[in-house]
Amino acid sequence: MTQIEVRKKILAENEARAATLRERFDARGALVLNLISSPGSGKTSLLEATARRMADEVEMGALVGDIATELDAERLRAAGLPAHQIVTAGACHLDARFVEDALAAAPFALPELLFVENVGNLVCPASYVLGEDYKVALLSVTEGADKPFKYPAIFTRAAVTLITKVDLAEHVDFDLAKVREHVLSLNPAARVLELSVRTGQGLDAWCALLREGVAAKRGARAEALA
Amino acid sequence: MTQIEVRKKILAENEARAATLRERFDARGALVLNLISSPGSGKTSLLEATARRMADEVEMGALVGDIATELDAERLRAAGLPAHQIVTAGACHLDARFVEDALAAAPFALPELLFVENVGNLVCPASYVLGEDYKVALLSVTEGADKPFKYPAIFTRAAVTLITKVDLAEHVDFDLAKVREHVLSLNPAARVLELSVRTGQGLDAWCALLREGVAAKRGARAEALA
């Protein structure tokens, strides 16, 4: 097989596996989000803050992908979010098989709201579906406003884009309005939220979005069972 | 071939091609640096600042890899640095073939100091040599101090690690001494510099390092020709 054929085969196998995962998520009525960003855009911090706000009202869990270390899962557990670390041992993205194996190994049952925190990488994770309901892209203001056009795949495919660390916007050159416009030009249906875990800005809107999604999945499951 | 065999073959072919590039660089006496970081760590800003300081004394050029857009090459040319954009059209890293093709297409001859600005990705570029003298890893303080251990391949392989945006250190939780220690634990021979393009901090040390490298390559070439 040529390199292109191998890649096509890998992606096709992954999609089949992800479709099976998605059926399982839907049967449970679980909302599953695939969080993708550069290293250090604030995925783990956002999940910590989310757990602190919502752990009492929604049953949550997280699978956390990293090339090395268990640091992120430890941080999430300390914040009250059941979390299982996926150490990819070099792989630059999660695929459906990692998620399958992690669900089998995790010390918690599939919750109503499952976060899959991908490896910090704005490129490769965009090509691998994991059975998620939707992708969430994070872009911190310190990364610069040119990123949506430079990494179009993820910003085209993410239903939600979170502009993070907006408390630092005054210290860097970042035009929030322009970035919002760029993201929407790539994906006109995208929801774009501005967030700061440090100040709390935007967290109400983010949690409202999660509640809305969880309620919709619950409703769809109840209908399917009726 | 299995997936692992395909990957091994790709890496072996790339290394052979990179070795040929390296011979060519050495024959010219050109110092070639491969800059690797997350998106938005400040690779392009650093090259702009470097060009403004050193364009008069050293003949420089840049090859700039991005998945999409010509934005970075345009920025560099505006700063006085001859630059050729490599649009990878989806590929998450540069390989030696991209560099070969770019050198053939670039509107400048191989300079004394060639920067290869890789695709913004802390993972995949670490595996592909480009014939460079050494790799330079950039890590901005806003990305968090846990990154060297979470992305060990690049920090192990980079001869120089630049901690960038240190002017923002007071606004974020980033322990410079600890990060330096972590980088050195992965690569005891690494040189670690703290930089801020905004304030100019560390740029003298960075330019001194470049001058030292350029002089060494010039010297080696003169010796080879003598």
Side-chain angles (χ1 to χ4, degrees):
Chain A
M1 276 200 280
T2 67
Q3 193 178 339
I4 290 171
E5 285 166 343
V6 169
R7 186 174 152 80
K8 270 195 186 162
K9 185 164 170 280
I10 291 170
L11 287 175
E13 283 173 2
N14 184 65
E15 270 162 39
R17 212 175 273 272
T20 306
L21 278 172
R22 177 61 186 267
E23 280 170 25
R24 186 170 155 198
F25 298 153
D26 288 348
R28 160 73 176 93
L31 178 70
V32 180
L33 307 188
N34 179 0
L35 275 69
I36 298 176
S37 79
S38 300
S41 300
K43 296 183 291 301
T44 311
S45 299
L46 176 65
L47 294 186
E48 288 174 321
T50 307
R52 290 200 187 97
R53 289 187 160 226
M54 293 180 58
D56 290 343
E57 51 174 305
V58 177
E59 188 197 340
M60 294 189 281
L63 307 177
V64 194
D66 272 301
I67 289 172
T69 82
E70 293 255 350
L71 294 169
D72 283 358
E74 284 161 20
R75 280 176 59 188
L76 293 178
R77 286 190 290 260
L81 182 60
H84 180 73
Q85 184 77 45
I86 303 170
V87 178
T88 67
C92 54
H93 61 272
L94 295 182
D95 60 22
R97 188 190 293 261
F98 274 124
V99 172
E100 242 178 52
D101 293 348
L103 286 172
F108 51 82
L110 186 57
E112 268 196 302
L113 173 54
L114 179 70
F115 298 105
V116 184
E117 184 183 330
N118 223 306
V119 177
N121 182 337
L122 211 45
V123 187
C124 316
S127 300
Y128 292 83
V129 284
L130 308 176
E132 69 269 12
D133 286 275
Y134 59 84
K135 290 176 175 63
V136 178
L138 287 82
L139 173 66
S140 66
V141 299
T142 57
E143 291 169 60
D146 54 347
K147 296 304 171 292
F149 286 160
K150 287 178 70 179
Y151 301 87
I154 180 57
F155 293 100
T156 302
R157 291 175 193 160
V160 176
T161 287
L162 305 177
I163 312 291
T164 62
K165 307 191 190 181
V166 292
D167 58 296
L168 294 176
E170 60 178 307
H171 303 295
V172 295
D173 190 24
F174 189 90
D175 185 337
L176 281 164
K178 189 169 277 182
V179 169
R180 178 181 287 274
E181 189 189 306
H182 288 177
V183 171
L184 291 172
S185 76
L186 292 167
N187 178 358
R191 293 187 59 167
V192 182
L193 300 183
E194 295 169 15
L195 284 185
S196 165
V197 165
R198 191 166 277 237
T199 66
Q201 185 186 333
L203 287 178
D204 284 347
W206 163 246
C207 291
L209 189 73
L210 295 177
R211 284 189 196 99
E212 191 185 289
V214 167
K217 291 287 286 204
R218 264 188 211 149
R221 182 177 180 235
E223 234 173 76
L225 294 177
Chain B
M1 275 199 279
T2 67
Q3 194 179 335
I4 290 170
E5 285 167 346
V6 169
R7 188 174 150 81
K8 269 194 189 165
K9 185 164 171 278
I10 290 170
L11 287 174
E13 283 173 3
N14 184 66
E15 269 162 40
R17 212 175 273 272
T20 306
L21 278 172
R22 177 61 186 268
E23 281 170 24
R24 187 170 155 199
F25 298 153
D26 288 347
R28 160 73 177 94
L31 177 70
V32 180
L33 306 189
N34 179 1
L35 275 68
I36 297 177
S37 79
S38 300
S41 300
K43 296 182 293 300
T44 311
S45 299
L46 176 64
L47 294 186
E48 287 174 322
T50 307
R52 289 200 188 98
R53 286 186 165 230
M54 293 181 56
D56 290 345
E57 51 174 306
V58 177
E59 187 196 342
M60 294 191 281
L63 308 177
V64 194
D66 273 300
I67 289 172
T69 82
E70 292 256 349
L71 295 169
D72 283 358
E74 284 161 21
R75 279 176 60 188
L76 294 178
R77 285 190 290 260
L81 182 59
H84 180 74
Q85 184 76 46
I86 303 170
V87 178
T88 66
C92 54
H93 60 270
L94 294 182
D95 60 21
R97 188 191 293 261
F98 274 124
V99 172
E100 241 178 54
D101 292 349
L103 286 172
F108 51 82
L110 187 57
E112 268 197 303
L113 174 54
L114 179 69
F115 298 105
V116 184
E117 183 184 330
N118 223 307
V119 176
N121 182 336
L122 210 46
V123 187
C124 316
S127 301
Y128 292 82
V129 284
L130 308 176
E132 69 268 13
D133 286 276
Y134 58 85
K135 291 176 176 59
V136 178
L138 287 82
L139 173 66
S140 66
V141 298
T142 58
E143 291 169 61
D146 55 349
K147 296 306 172 289
F149 285 160
K150 288 178 69 179
Y151 301 87
I154 179 59
F155 293 99
T156 302
R157 291 174 194 160
V160 176
T161 287
L162 305 177
I163 312 292
T164 61
K165 306 191 191 183
V166 292
D167 57 297
L168 294 175
E170 59 179 306
H171 304 294
V172 295
D173 189 24
F174 189 92
D175 185 335
L176 280 164
K178 189 169 279 181
V179 169
R180 177 181 287 274
E181 189 189 307
H182 289 177
V183 170
L184 290 172
S185 77
L186 291 167
N187 178 357
R191 293 185 63 165
V192 182
L193 301 183
E194 296 170 16
L195 283 186
S196 165
V197 166
R198 192 167 279 239
T199 67
Q201 185 186 332
L203 287 179
D204 284 347
W206 163 245
C207 291
L209 189 73
L210 295 177
R211 283 188 198 100
E212 191 186 288
V214 168
K217 291 288 287 204
R218 264 188 211 149
R221 182 176 180 236
E223 234 172 78
L225 292 177

